[in-house]
Every structure is written in C-alpha cells, then in structure tokens.
Amino acid sequence: MENKLSHLLKLELKKFNLKKQLFITLLLILFSILFLTVSLVDSMTDPEQTKDTFESTFLVIGILMSAIFLVYSSILTASDVIGEYTRKTITILFCCPLNERSNPPAMLGRIE
C-alpha cells in the first residue's frame, strides 16, 4: 500500500511541476526585496519625505507579502482545479474505492 501511495505522490508532484513553482516563488520574493529596497532608498534620499521607521517597514513587508502570496495562491488553486478538469484527471479522485468498515459515513445532523 505504501509503495502505491508514494508512486501516486511522485506522479502528483511531477504533474504539479514543483521546480517551476519554486522558481516563481523565488522571483516573487526577489521582487518584494527590490520593492522594499527602492522604497527605503527613496525615503532616505528625499529630505522632505518622512523617514521610514522600523514599525512602518515591517507593516509594509507584512502587507506586501500577504497581498503577493494571496494572489499567487489563488492563481495556483484555480489553475490546479482547471487543469484537473481539462486533463480529465478529476474523475480519478472520485474513483478511489473506500472500505466502509474503516471509514464510517459522517453522521450529519444526528445528535447523540
């Protein structure tokens, strides 16, 4: 059973194209570092602009990372679901047999 499961996991990782996703993640992190560097240099060179504080810098980092990776995770999820339907591999998910004795059905709405 373990051998089959590890083989299925390897196939899923190959289908997901992990190297490409890691490369894109690295590019997003480098973009955010570049954005923060330009922002900090700009605030130090302009004498009329208020200087960035430690708290404001970390606030910007939190907001920037949350926004970037929220959009990126949404794109990944949508492309994964659409890819399952276009490759017609979504039916495999619904074809896995389950042993009814080891997995009892959920008791929704039943109060004990």
Side-chain angles (χ1 to χ4, degrees):
M1 180 72 177
E2 264 184 59
N3 192 15
K4 290 179 183 180
L5 185 60
S6 64
H7 181 67
L8 286 174
L9 285 174
K10 287 178 186 176
L11 288 175
E12 285 295 319
L13 286 175
K14 187 176 181 181
K15 179 176 74 173
F16 186 65
N17 200 359
L18 191 62
K19 289 180 184 178
K20 177 184 172 189
Q21 303 307 328
L22 287 175
F23 180 71
I24 291 172
T25 304
L26 181 66
L27 284 178
L28 288 173
I29 291 171
L30 290 175
F31 167 75
S32 62
I33 290 172
L34 178 70
F35 178 81
L36 290 169
T37 304
V38 169
S39 173
L40 288 172
V41 168
D42 181 50
S43 74
M44 291 188 172
T45 56
D46 190 8
E48 295 178 8
Q49 189 176 0
T50 58
K51 304 291 185 241
D52 287 337
T53 63
F54 185 75
E55 291 84 15
S56 67
T57 303
F58 270 93
L59 181 65
V60 169
I61 289 171
I63 292 171
L64 183 67
M65 287 298 173
S66 297
I68 286 173
F69 286 102
L70 177 72
V71 171
Y72 184 55
S73 65
S74 301
I75 291 170
L76 281 178
T77 303
S79 65
D80 193 33
V81 170
I82 291 169
E84 291 286 330
Y85 280 105
T86 56
R87 290 187 300 265
K88 300 193 185 331
T89 55
I90 193 75
T91 55
I92 294 172
L93 177 69
F94 300 120
C95 293
C96 293
L98 295 176
N99 185 358
E100 290 184 16
R101 291 185 183 188
S102 64
N103 297 321
M107 297 182 194
L108 297 173
R110 187 172 175 185
I111 302 173
E112 292 184 20

